[in-house]
Amino acid sequence: MRREIGSLLLGCCIVAAGAAVLSTGCSSESTNVSAQQACTDLAAARCQKMQQCNPQGLLNTYGDLSTCESTQSSTCTTNLSAPQTAQTPAHTEACAQALPGESCSDYLLGNVASACQPPAGPRAAGTACSVSAQCATAYCLIPRTAQCGTCEAAPGVSASCSNNACGPGLLCDSATEQCVTPVAAGGSCADSSVCTPGTTCIGNTPSTPGTCVAVADAVGASCDLADGGTRCDGRQGLYCNVPLGRVCARIANATVSQECGTVDGGVIDCSAGGFCQKLGSVGPTCAAPARCVLSVASGTSGSCKTTTPTACN
């Protein structure tokens, strides 16, 4: 029987304030949890956190919680078999116990708890990698135009993000294509790309900065920007319904072959990796865990590939 994610870590942890805390004299590396069990627990923790913080993203990517868990568990097991990885089942299990205590903001920014930070591996900077735990830098930089990565330092503030993601806790400014520290609610912004998750840039013009404002997360909330409203939280499955008077409404979700897009004033999104086939649309999307490896940086087309130890080592 699968253990619940909030359970004790083989008698070595206590749970306080919703997070796992190691007790005195106990090391997470002392557990004898199997790779399969650790990956099952981590997959459950990740997918439950995604369901909490980005339920629409879970529907779009996986379709349902069980598919998310099976896909994530399989990927985790594959990654644990990577050559020269410092990641262990015990470290994976410790992360599974710590993840439920993360805030949604930290989760969405990749600002993971210390138990979830990859351990440093033996591979030097510049060496090929598929997972961060192979690297002495504890970071595998995977360009959007490549299936595999190289061991590098995590991209910090002002680093380019034109062809890669930023390091943990940072965002990619779409205007400058540089990594920036997220702007909190009430801060000045030129574009929503710099606002911390859960906020959006309101009032900005080409010549005047706006302000990061909390998004609306409830059905019926005003999204009339001209009348003091804010944008609707797409991660929570909301959109701005104009015919109803610019209020947030629930996105509908459809499976393959069903109608999608803007229909009779409502929005119907695709689930389980599907995409809405419209005239002139670019697609399809890739089924998780594959991603679209772009043909050229900032391009819109490429090939669906999965980053795995087999392909990258």
Side-chain angles (χ1 to χ4, degrees):
M1 180 181 296
R2 192 179 73 188
R3 293 169 295 175
E4 293 300 318
I5 289 305
S7 64
L8 301 184
L9 179 55
L10 299 181
C12 285
C13 295
I14 57 174
V15 176
V21 181
L22 292 178
S23 60
T24 303
C26 174
S27 168
S28 62
E29 296 298 321
S30 68
T31 66
N32 59 358
V33 63
S34 68
Q36 181 179 359
Q37 183 64 65
C39 285
T40 296
D41 291 345
L42 182 60
R46 282 179 170 169
C47 294
Q48 288 166 17
K49 183 59 68 172
M50 189 176 188
Q51 187 176 56
Q52 173 192 352
C53 304
N54 186 11
Q56 188 62 35
L58 187 143
L59 283 171
N60 293 155
T61 305
Y62 301 104
D64 54 53
L65 188 64
S66 63
T67 302
C68 175
E69 291 182 359
S70 62
T71 303
Q72 288 270 356
S73 180
S74 176
T75 299
C76 170
T77 302
T78 297
N79 289 342
L80 274 178
S81 69
Q84 296 184 297
T85 180
Q87 186 66 275
T88 65
H91 189 276
T92 301
E93 180 67 26
C95 178
Q97 302 299 322
L99 229 169
E102 282 188 13
S103 68
C104 280
S105 180
D106 281 339
Y107 168 76
L108 294 169
L109 284 169
N111 228 355
V112 298
S114 58
C116 294
Q117 293 170 8
R123 296 190 175 184
T127 305
C129 58
S130 59
V131 293
S132 292
Q134 292 172 306
C135 303
T137 60
Y139 193 86
C140 183
L141 181 67
I142 305 176
R144 296 186 181 96
T145 51
Q147 181 178 6
C148 303
T150 55
C151 295
E152 305 286 351
V157 173
S158 298
S160 173
C161 51
S162 61
N163 193 34
N164 53 261
C166 295
L170 302 180
L171 295 174
C172 184
D173 186 334
S174 62
T176 65
E177 293 191 322
Q178 291 183 330
C179 298
V180 296
T181 301
V183 178
S188 177
C189 56
D191 187 90
S192 291
S193 65
V194 302
C195 294
T196 196
T199 66
T200 183
C201 193
I202 300 292
N204 57 305
T205 68
S207 59
T208 306
T211 303
C212 290
V213 175
V215 292
D217 60 1
V219 172
S222 172
C223 52
D224 188 344
L225 301 185
D227 194 32
T230 184
R231 295 187 177 93
C232 305
D233 192 346
R235 291 190 178 99
Q236 296 298 323
L238 301 176
Y239 76 100
C240 189
N241 190 308
V242 176
L244 282 182
R246 296 186 184 277
V247 295
C248 295
R250 184 71 60 190
I251 294 171
N253 294 281
T255 56
V256 172
S257 80
Q258 293 182 323
E259 193 173 26
C260 60
T262 302
V263 181
D264 296 331
V267 172
I268 303 176
D269 211 347
C270 299
S271 62
F275 81 108
C276 196
Q277 179 70 69
K278 295 181 286 189
L279 185 64
S281 64
V282 178
T285 55
C286 299
R291 62 187 176 87
C292 187
V293 176
L294 299 176
S295 301
V296 295
S298 302
T300 57
S301 63
S303 301
C304 292
K305 296 181 180 180
T306 304
T307 300
T308 63
T310 302
C312 302
N313 297 280

